[in-house]
Amino acid sequence: MATLTGGGEPSATVKTVAAHAGVSAQTVSRVLRGTGYVSEETRTKVLAAVTAVGYHPNAVGRSLRAARTPMVGLLITDITNPFYASLHKAVEAVFRERGLTLMLLNSDDDRDTERQQLELLRSYRPSGLLLAPAVHSSLTTDDLAGFGAAVLVSRTLRGLSVPSVVTNEPEAMGEATRTLLDAGHRRIAAVLGPQDASTTVRREAGYREAVLAAGAEPLVCYTDQTGPGARTAIRHVLHTHAGITAALGFNAPVTEGILAGLRDEGLRCPQDVSLVGFTDAPWMAFYPPPITVVRQPVEAMGRLAAQLVLDMVDGKPVAAEPHVVPGTLLRRESVVAPSSRSLTSPSSTQR
């Protein structure tokens, strides 16, 4: 039986949609809530019926009746990092197809803020959670159990028995380092992120293995993974370590900061210092010179993470382990052989 709107005209109900689609009301509910198995053919038929009869679900009432709301949280560490913008876009597209709303939260890489944001999200009774944990996060498996379907993205945490989606960081950073070694560089500075972050640990491992295998000395500095932080760090390492002819950037903001720091020191890339970044950004393809970079498969990581959440919501088994999406090294023009001038540049003297 149709209900009446404020204007006195009958409004469509779940039963109206079910009758139009030729399915049960329970099937319509599963499609609208994004829970349980429904074939794609049936899902398409139901969504078409929703449009045809003009059905508008009462989200408030439905949320009060349901154990979970049709919402998934995405908690990230740095809303200014373009990596997370790409991740958000990929994740949202997957959830939108299932009628789920994505709620974006930012922790500023602070574990107390992280807990506050998760408490806020918990009050909405979401269907799932995607989380890039803060560098010193104190979260446990029990903390995340209340969210039902929880998946870590990019970063991982020791002791957490939950699925995660990462890229092959040690292998990718090793390949990036060997690109510089193969060009003749032996004094290669790795400008990394926070020392305790899993992403830093994994990328540093790949760098150190490649450098040590070549008989070279690892030169590592840690940053807050921002452009200004990297700008300060590269200037410091150039002043304190002799003969640096190449650098590796932890992420897109760090790579940008390295370039700014080189310019501050009157050095050119690649004539004085060659550079390889980690995580591509649009500007890198056009910067003079175009920057060689490890392209992280951000969109693929986002789609996989979102699908893992949906699988868990649907009751499908998901392994509580890292799910790896490989990155790709894009060879551009920021790597050349070290010149005699670069070997005697200001970076080669203690100042």
Side-chain angles (χ1 to χ4, degrees):
M1 181 176 181
T3 59
L4 294 179
T5 65
E9 296 182 357
S11 61
T13 67
V14 168
K15 291 184 178 179
T16 312
V17 176
H20 192 280
V23 299
S24 68
Q26 290 80 4
T27 298
V28 173
S29 294
R30 285 199 297 272
V31 171
L32 295 179
R33 293 179 182 176
T35 59
Y37 174 75
V38 179
S39 70
E40 286 304 315
E41 180 181 356
T42 299
R43 190 185 309 280
T44 300
K45 187 187 300 183
V46 169
L47 294 177
V50 167
T51 301
V53 303
Y55 174 66
H56 300 286
N58 184 335
V60 175
R62 182 179 65 189
S63 297
L64 292 174
R65 294 190 299 271
R68 300 282 181 184
T69 57
M71 173 193 295
V72 176
L74 172 61
L75 178 55
I76 61 175
T77 63
D78 181 5
I79 201 167
T80 66
N81 189 330
F83 171 91
Y84 291 115
S86 298
L87 181 71
H88 179 275
K89 183 176 182 180
V91 166
E92 187 176 42
V94 174
F95 289 138
R96 189 187 303 119
E97 292 183 359
R98 285 286 296 268
L100 296 173
T101 299
L102 187 64
M103 182 176 184
L104 178 65
L105 304 104
N106 180 50
S107 72
D108 277 333
D109 225 354
D110 176 77
R111 68 179 182 180
D112 293 331
T113 302
E114 178 179 73
R115 283 195 172 273
Q116 292 169 5
Q117 295 286 46
L118 286 179
E119 284 304 310
L120 170 64
L121 178 63
R122 195 190 307 275
S123 70
Y124 287 89
R125 292 180 295 172
S127 294
L129 167 67
L130 288 169
L131 169 67
V135 63
H136 294 124
S137 176
S138 60
L139 296 176
T140 66
T141 301
D142 288 342
D143 290 327
L144 300 184
F147 292 94
V151 175
L152 304 184
V153 184
S154 184
R155 287 183 183 175
T156 58
L157 290 176
R158 290 181 181 178
L160 253 64
S161 182
V162 295
S164 61
V165 175
V166 298
T167 193
N168 59 334
E169 292 164 305
E171 296 82 4
M173 187 61 98
E175 183 180 7
T177 305
R178 286 189 294 273
T179 294
L180 293 168
L181 291 167
D182 291 345
H185 298 277
R186 289 298 178 271
R187 301 287 285 168
I188 304 169
V191 186
L192 302 174
Q195 185 171 4
D196 295 330
S198 65
T199 43
T200 299
V201 172
R202 288 166 58 82
R203 294 173 202 182
E204 182 177 349
Y207 161 77
R208 284 184 177 275
E209 181 180 3
V211 167
L212 291 172
E217 176 191 3
L219 299 172
V220 174
C221 58
Y222 305 104
T223 74
D224 60 357
Q225 68 178 350
T226 67
R231 186 175 189 170
T232 299
I234 190 63
R235 294 187 67 186
H236 175 75
V237 78
L238 287 170
H239 281 259
T240 56
H241 292 81
I244 291 175
T245 62
L248 288 157
F250 176 75
N251 61 14
V254 166
T255 302
E256 186 175 358
I258 291 172
L259 289 167
L262 294 179
R263 185 180 59 209
D264 292 341
E265 295 297 308
L267 300 174
R268 301 164 300 164
C269 174
Q271 295 93 329
D272 301 314
V273 178
S274 289
L275 176 63
V276 179
F278 200 103
T279 305
D280 198 16
W283 64 266
M284 292 187 187
F286 305 103
Y287 188 89
I291 305 299
T292 295
V293 64
V294 174
R295 174 181 284 168
Q296 265 193 292
V298 185
E299 292 80 6
M301 292 171 68
R303 290 191 296 268
L304 175 57
Q307 188 57 55
L308 292 180
V309 167
L310 294 179
D311 287 346
M312 296 170 74
V313 168
D314 290 340
K316 298 178 182 178
V318 174
E321 62 185 22
H323 298 252
V324 181
V325 185
T328 305
L329 181 66
L330 301 179
R331 300 177 186 274
R332 292 174 176 152
E333 300 173 24
S334 61
V335 177
V336 296
S339 65
S340 57
R341 179 173 179 177
S342 67
L343 291 171
T344 57
S345 69
S347 65
S348 66
T349 60
Q350 300 285 344
R351 290 174 292 177

